[in-house]
Amino acid sequence: MNEIELTQVKVEGRLSRPSTPSRTRTDRTARRAFFVITLLPILLILIITIALFVRAMPILSAYSLTDLLFGEVWRPNNGQFGFRPFILGTLWVTAVGVFLAVPPCLLASIYLAEYAHARTRAIAKPILDLLAAIPPVVYGVWGLLAIVPFVDDVLAPLSERWLGSTIPIFSVTQPTGFGILAGGIVLAVMISPLIISVIFEVFATVPNDLRYASLGLGTTQWQTIRTVVLPQVTPGIIAAIVLGASRALGETIAVLMVVGNVPKTPTSVFDTAYPLPALIANNYGEMMSIPLYDAALLGAALVLLVVILIFNILSTLVLQRFLRRK
Amino acid sequence: MRKQTLIWLSVFLVLAVALSACGNATPAEPAAPASDASAPAEEKLSGTISVSGAFALYPMMTVWADEFSKIHPDVQFDVQGGGAGKGMTDTIAGAVDIGMISRAIKPEEESQGIFWVSVTKDAVFPIISSENPYAEQVLAKGISQEVFAGIYITGEITTWGQVIGDPSDTTPINIFTRSDASGAAEQWAKFGGGAAQEDLLGIGVNGEPSMVDTIIKDPLGIGYGNLNSIFDLSGGGLVPGIVIPPIDINEDGQANPDEIYTVKEDAFGAVANGTYPSPPARFENLATLDKPEGLELAFITWILTDGQQYLEEAGFVPLTPEQQAESLAKLK
Amino acid sequence: MSIKKKHFERRHLVEFLMKTIMRIALVIVAGALGLILWTIITRGLPSLSWSMVTQIPKGGYYMGKEGGILNAIIGSAYLASGGTLLAILLSLPIALYLKAYLGDSKWGDYVRLALDVLWGIPSIVYGAFGFALMIMLGMRASLLAGIIALALVTLPIMTRAMDEVIRRMPVDLEHAALALGSTKFEVAIQVVTRQMLPGIITGILLAFGRGIGDAASVLFTAGYTDRIPTSLMNPTASLPLAVFFQLGSPYPEVRERGYAAALILTIIVLIVSLGSRLLASRLNKYTVK
């Protein structure tokens, strides 16, 4: 059939097809358009980093990097921009969150991956999805209503009696329940679904033959996991933890509501702290009325971005290599 | 596939339109800049006024906006919080028409074209727990401005013994201040002789509700707060659990009746007639870029006259007739 | 050599212990969800009222008087819909392009890496970026600015979800269509999307749910107001910010209403989350297995 007849063929109930040349043209245009759009993710990362850097330039050129990163005093009205309390505050809260989250999550995901019935998994998955879907501000409200009083009424007195006097990290330094511990607990719950799901996927990459071989030799399941599976997946587990940490680093609202927001370098988990994201969120309104304040805050955002990018890229590369084995 | 996408897109759009239709939306008037408003005749005002600024004034501004819209139904308001700093920035940048500024306007801001008037007064009061073992003595003797300065600015006063005049008693004072940018903190700092909020000593608490809660729970604590956090506005008494240590204004070593505030009216009266020192009492101001005209002028004028009747209920002190006249004269 | 075996070997004990500990861990994590929902419901329900959901704030709302948060509910609906829509327009082409032309190539991996990295960027950074953009373009806080910021946040989520689903498509379908003479574009539009529709819908709803609840990105960009926005250039309230601001009020009644607002937000997110599951399973009827 020649081209004209092709054009006029009518398939049942549908419009006649366009000609082949026009379809090819559409294909080519679409291909180009989609290609451009696909460049967007890579471009976006670059644009965001550059934009923040440009806006932070004023303060980076006015003070040395050491002054900014290690300076202890934060008095923007006086022109003093010491980020150290905030950087340390961020690290403390993230560390507590990760420490609290990893052991239960690791155990839970090993159970889900190796032991659980399909039925258990079927129940666990929606629960984890729901935990992940809950908005951060709701986590903050929960933290405010349940965790801060818990720290104040239960954990602080316990620590005062048993731990605080001997171990400085656990000494109770201020009378409110707000602080790093409260923030860490909320963060731990927030990052759990992520850590569990990543570790679960990593365990799934281990071929069953290995397990069967070990079991066939008469080991218990735990022995198999411990000696055969775990060594294989260790990099993946570390990557999952790093991913969880990077998520915790950036969490703004939930932590903001329970961590106390006092710009002082922390010395104990019961101290209040002022993480970088909270600094940015709390003060965006004042940004433009004090000189260099906006550059400082956007510079804080830049620091946050760079650290998270590094964590993210490294852990994603490791995980991509793992998951490809499937 | 295209048809399916279209169906889903239209479902979204229909939902969005339907939701907005059943909402209590004000008449759909596109945002017209206030300065281009219609003729300044009393009756037919229309346009949109955008406001941003101090959280302290925010609830009051929404009341004013609501009441003003009842009289002039074609006027709409966009009111945001964000803090006094944001209000100032937005006003200078032209992003809003009126800024709510809970502090004095600085000369640099005036030189950028800012015009302002005071529209109400409110005040910051010191607070201690009603369970404070020294409460009785403090309520009898009062605390002088010097002692407050020693507690909050210089750090010379650290024990309750020093406060009541018994240096042998070394029970420590748990000093609390605000860690978030707060007009109340700035006023308190000025009262103590400092220059800005950062000069205040003490453990930082974030937000006024937390400050009040902390003081209620800590018998040895001292803090400060706004009128409407300290008094239960509907009942008129103090929020249970806290008392106001009288400021010994006349420095006679005793707490006189006009220095003691247990009900809202007492505190109000003291602030209004000037007995209560300023700082920590302060004027709340509204700022505009250049003198207001048209719709903004009408609104601010209304706030200074009829609008004042809504203040007391909200925990703000109405202007005295002289202060009112002063502000109105400024606007001419 | 003894043929007798101990019934009770140490490693069996260890196995039992580990299983128990792991079960407890799982219950703790799952129980956290119950705890959260319990707290939100018990503290939020008392202040929840019909007027909260159907009225905008009246004059004295922030001092405990009448009104509701309809402005925030509709504002969030607009923001999430707009942001999701904008994100779909970008993420569907990306996902299709990855499948059709990049497949498992090196470039495909770079793009996927970029997407994963974008996914990890916290929304406060997107908000700060959106704010910087706003200043540059001289925009005020508005619905449009909020939509753009949200689109940035939801783009990686949606693309990732779609990509995951599209990669699982049975190759046979694609080959069959190609064998019949379709162009790659036609395959993408007519075959892949139809087959992957449940997954695509799930991705969209996932992103929508995220968009409704995200505060950090709209904090700087969307502003806040008591009115329902009538144009893209109006500022708009949003549910997370409504919760946040009400919690900071000196008036206890307003704080209680903040809890109720948090409950409303949670209910909406739960509905979207469960709804997307149901929808996905119903739509699976139309795909080829």
Side-chain angles (χ1 to χ4, degrees):
Chain A
M1 286 202 269
N2 64 24
E3 196 181 286
I4 299 177
E5 285 167 32
L6 268 173
T7 320
Q8 286 160 349
V9 163
K10 269 186 158 61
V11 184
E12 263 180 37
R14 304 180 115 256
L15 303 165
S16 59
R17 301 200 88 196
S19 65
T20 310
S22 86
R23 285 168 54 216
T24 324
R25 243 180 288 127
T26 322
D27 184 67
R28 240 183 263 135
T29 332
R31 181 176 183 157
R32 283 200 202 104
F34 281 21
F35 172 71
V36 167
I37 300 181
T38 308
L39 287 179
L40 194 60
I42 303 182
L43 278 179
L44 252 178
I45 301 181
L46 291 171
I47 294 178
I48 294 182
T49 317
I50 294 177
L52 286 180
F53 187 68
V54 164
R55 297 292 309 192
M57 245 347 236
I59 199 177
L60 291 173
S61 45
Y63 300 89
S64 77
L65 207 53
T66 18
D67 275 344
L68 291 174
L69 290 181
F70 297 108
E72 187 65 45
V73 184
W74 178 262
R75 282 191 180 195
N77 269 312
N78 271 4
Q80 296 170 292
F81 294 101
F83 280 102
R84 191 159 166 265
F86 306 101
I87 296 179
L88 286 177
T90 312
L91 290 176
W92 274 74
V93 169
T94 309
V96 172
V98 171
F99 275 137
L100 286 176
V102 169
C105 287
L106 188 55
L107 290 170
S109 41
I110 295 179
Y111 185 77
L112 284 174
E114 304 284 319
Y115 287 96
H117 300 293
R119 206 185 33 175
T120 319
R121 270 190 225 131
I123 301 181
K125 185 165 192 313
I127 293 183
L128 289 173
D129 281 346
L130 275 177
L131 269 178
I134 293 182
V137 76
V138 174
Y139 271 108
V141 171
W142 171 64
L144 205 58
L145 294 176
I147 301 296
V148 169
F150 180 64
V151 171
D152 196 26
D153 300 330
V154 177
L155 291 181
L158 270 177
S159 181
E160 273 201 67
R161 269 191 77 190
W162 299 105
L163 292 170
S165 30
T166 46
I167 312 177
I169 255 187
F170 291 112
S171 56
V172 180
T173 49
Q174 45 97 22
T176 65
F178 294 98
I180 296 179
L181 194 54
I185 295 178
V186 172
L187 269 184
V189 181
M190 288 182 83
I191 63 178
S192 294
L194 175 62
I195 297 184
I196 291 182
S197 69
V198 174
I199 296 185
F200 180 83
E201 299 223 352
V202 164
F203 266 86
T205 65
V206 177
N208 269 329
D209 306 341
L210 287 174
R211 295 192 184 89
Y212 294 155
S214 168
L215 289 171
L217 291 171
T219 59
T220 62
Q221 260 183 303
W222 174 245
Q223 278 177 310
T224 308
I225 298 173
R226 188 167 50 89
T227 56
V228 176
V229 183
L230 267 184
Q232 296 250 331
V233 299
T234 311
I237 294 183
I238 298 182
I241 298 177
V242 170
L243 210 55
S246 80
R247 168 97 169 79
L249 280 172
E251 177 47 50
T252 311
I253 291 277
V255 177
L256 171 62
M257 290 166 76
V258 298
V259 81
N261 300 329
V262 179
K264 210 177 60 93
T265 304
T267 50
S268 138
V269 297
F270 286 94
D271 261 338
T272 52
Y274 208 162
L276 279 172
L279 172 67
I280 304 171
N282 265 335
N283 294 299
Y284 87 102
E286 306 285 311
M287 257 208 268
M288 310 297 282
S289 58
I290 303 178
L292 285 186
Y293 209 168
D294 63 326
L297 290 183
L298 291 172
L302 181 64
V303 169
L304 205 55
L305 177 61
V306 170
V307 173
I308 292 181
L309 278 181
I310 296 177
F311 274 36
N312 246 335
I313 294 180
L314 287 177
S315 56
T316 309
L317 282 176
V318 170
L319 285 173
Q320 271 189 353
R321 209 172 302 149
F322 254 91
L323 298 178
R324 197 163 316 139
R325 277 206 238 148
K326 251 208 283 194
Chain B
M1 159 59 208
R2 279 200 200 95
K3 209 159 81 166
Q4 290 228 347
T5 340
L6 278 179
I7 294 180
W8 282 111
L9 284 180
S10 17
V11 168
F12 269 129
L13 287 173
V14 165
L15 273 177
V17 169
L19 279 175
S20 67
C22 73
N24 233 337
T26 40
E29 177 88 18
S35 38
D36 294 293
S38 47
E42 252 68 318
E43 296 321 315
K44 249 341 193 158
L45 288 176
S46 72
T48 312
I49 302 181
S50 55
V51 186
S52 84
F55 285 113
L57 263 184
Y58 179 70
M60 198 58 236
M61 181 56 75
T62 57
V63 173
W64 277 330
D66 199 43
E67 296 297 330
F68 194 73
S69 313
K70 286 184 187 158
I71 309 175
H72 300 276
D74 287 329
V75 179
Q76 293 176 66
F77 290 87
D78 277 326
V79 183
Q80 279 188 57
K86 177 162 164 53
M88 183 55 75
T89 313
D90 284 347
T91 311
I92 296 181
V96 297
D97 302 314
I98 301 180
M100 302 182 285
I101 316 291
S102 55
R103 54 169 168 80
I105 312 294
K106 305 181 194 156
E108 315 89 75
E109 292 162 352
E110 280 187 310
S111 66
Q112 296 203 37
I114 290 290
F115 171 88
W116 58 276
V117 288
S118 303
V119 292
T120 178
K121 256 184 126 165
D122 70 359
V124 177
F125 294 87
I127 47 176
I128 58 176
S129 164
S130 52
E131 308 290 314
N132 190 319
Y134 305 91
E136 252 186 73
Q137 293 165 300
V138 168
L139 280 168
K141 298 182 64 174
I143 306 182
S144 70
Q145 188 266 352
E146 237 187 281
V147 174
F148 276 120
I151 296 176
Y152 268 102
I153 306 287
T154 61
E156 290 162 354
I157 310 235
T158 51
T159 68
W160 283 104
Q162 287 169 299
V163 171
I164 56 166
D166 174 16
S168 62
D169 186 333
T170 53
T171 321
I173 310 177
N174 291 337
I175 312 173
F176 294 100
T177 180
R178 292 279 296 279
S179 61
D180 51 314
S182 147
E186 181 134 342
Q187 288 302 107
W188 195 244
K190 295 218 171 91
F191 175 61
Q197 177 175 355
E198 290 128 358
D199 298 330
L200 289 170
L201 303 169
I203 303 171
V205 183
N206 194 264
E208 202 149 71
S210 294
M211 168 74 91
V212 175
D213 279 342
T214 307
I215 298 294
I216 294 179
K217 288 210 250 175
D218 187 354
L220 297 178
I222 189 169
Y224 53 85
N226 254 315
L227 236 165
N228 42 28
S229 300
I230 300 179
F231 287 100
D232 173 12
L233 288 174
S234 42
L238 288 165
V239 166
I242 53 177
V243 290
I244 302 180
I247 301 181
D248 191 5
I249 304 170
N250 53 15
E251 311 248 324
D252 62 355
Q254 277 184 356
N256 308 103
D258 62 349
E259 293 166 351
I260 302 181
Y261 314 119
T262 48
V263 286
K264 187 176 74 166
E265 286 72 34
D266 296 344
F268 260 51
V271 176
N273 63 27
T275 323
Y276 195 72
S278 276
R282 63 170 166 191
F283 282 105
E284 302 268 0
N285 305 312
L286 293 181
T288 54
L289 200 57
D290 305 319
K291 247 176 158 185
E293 301 167 332
L295 187 52
E296 296 157 6
L297 180 60
F299 181 52
I300 299 183
T301 313
W302 177 86
I303 290 181
L304 286 168
T305 51
D306 292 329
Q308 297 280 304
Q309 59 180 289
Y310 303 105
L311 283 170
E312 268 203 54
E313 205 184 359
F316 293 90
V317 177
L319 296 175
T320 62
E322 300 87 41
Q323 292 161 346
Q324 238 178 328
E326 203 184 309
S327 288
L328 283 166
K330 253 186 119 173
L331 282 174
K332 297 255 183 302
Chain C
M1 201 157 61
S2 154
I3 317 174
K4 258 199 321 188
K5 283 226 96 171
K6 281 187 281 182
H7 285 285
F8 201 55
E9 291 187 23
R10 182 167 160 269
R11 62 203 184 104
H12 291 139
L13 183 60
V14 169
E15 165 97 357
F16 176 71
L17 273 173
M18 290 311 297
K19 268 179 93 168
T20 316
I21 295 181
M22 284 191 225
R23 281 206 181 105
I24 294 179
L26 190 56
V27 167
I28 291 181
V29 176
L33 179 65
L35 187 59
I36 296 175
L37 289 179
W38 173 254
T39 311
I40 300 287
I41 294 177
T42 45
R43 294 300 290 265
L45 208 49
S47 315
L48 192 58
S49 67
W50 195 237
S51 61
M52 265 204 90
V53 187
T54 51
Q55 292 180 16
I56 57 173
K58 301 282 170 44
Y61 181 71
Y62 296 101
M63 295 189 284
K65 303 224 215 94
E66 326 81 54
I69 53 170
L70 188 63
N71 61 330
I73 297 177
I74 296 197
S76 272
Y78 284 171
L79 281 168
S81 312
T84 311
L85 205 60
L86 187 52
I88 296 176
L89 292 177
L90 297 172
S91 60
L92 197 51
I94 296 179
L96 290 173
Y97 191 78
L98 279 174
K99 161 74 173 178
Y101 301 103
L102 288 181
D104 282 309
S105 75
K106 208 171 47 126
W107 274 110
D109 281 343
Y110 288 159
V111 173
R112 290 205 174 89
L113 177 62
L115 281 171
D116 280 339
V117 167
L118 279 177
W119 181 86
I121 294 181
S123 43
I124 185 109
V125 171
Y126 285 122
F129 172 68
F131 185 69
L133 216 60
M134 262 169 60
I135 299 184
M136 246 177 45
L137 297 175
M139 283 170 72
R140 296 189 182 189
S142 58
L143 183 54
L144 181 60
I147 285 181
I148 295 179
L150 266 185
L152 287 176
V153 171
T154 50
L155 177 67
I157 301 174
M158 230 195 298
T159 317
R160 218 167 168 246
M162 289 191 193
D163 184 49
E164 291 283 311
V165 163
I166 289 180
R167 283 174 99 176
R168 301 220 174 103
M169 187 177 106
V171 204
D172 310 339
L173 280 178
E174 194 190 345
H175 287 173
L178 286 172
L180 288 170
S182 311
T183 62
K184 279 197 166 177
F185 177 64
E186 282 165 352
V187 172
I189 295 286
Q190 292 179 15
V191 179
V192 178
T193 40
R194 195 170 274 143
Q195 172 74 2
M196 293 297 117
L197 200 58
I200 293 178
I201 302 277
T202 312
I204 293 177
L205 286 173
L206 200 67
F208 185 81
R210 178 75 192 272
I212 292 234
D214 195 77
S217 48
V218 295
L219 181 62
F220 302 177
T221 48
Y224 201 82
T225 178
D226 285 344
R227 300 189 299 141
I228 296 176
T230 46
S231 106
L232 277 177
M233 300 315 284
N234 289 150
T236 177
S238 48
L239 263 176
L241 290 186
V243 175
F244 188 56
F245 291 151
Q246 283 180 89
L247 286 186
S249 161
Y251 305 93
E253 307 85 23
V254 181
R255 294 206 292 271
E256 298 284 321
R257 287 207 284 231
Y259 306 147
L263 178 58
I264 294 176
L265 180 55
T266 312
I267 292 178
I268 294 181
V269 169
L270 283 181
I271 292 179
V272 170
S273 182
L274 293 173
S276 75
R277 293 182 157 270
L278 283 172
L279 206 57
S281 61
R282 305 263 324 273
L283 287 176
N284 266 320
K285 286 196 290 184
Y286 298 109
T287 60
V288 174
K289 281 291 174 285

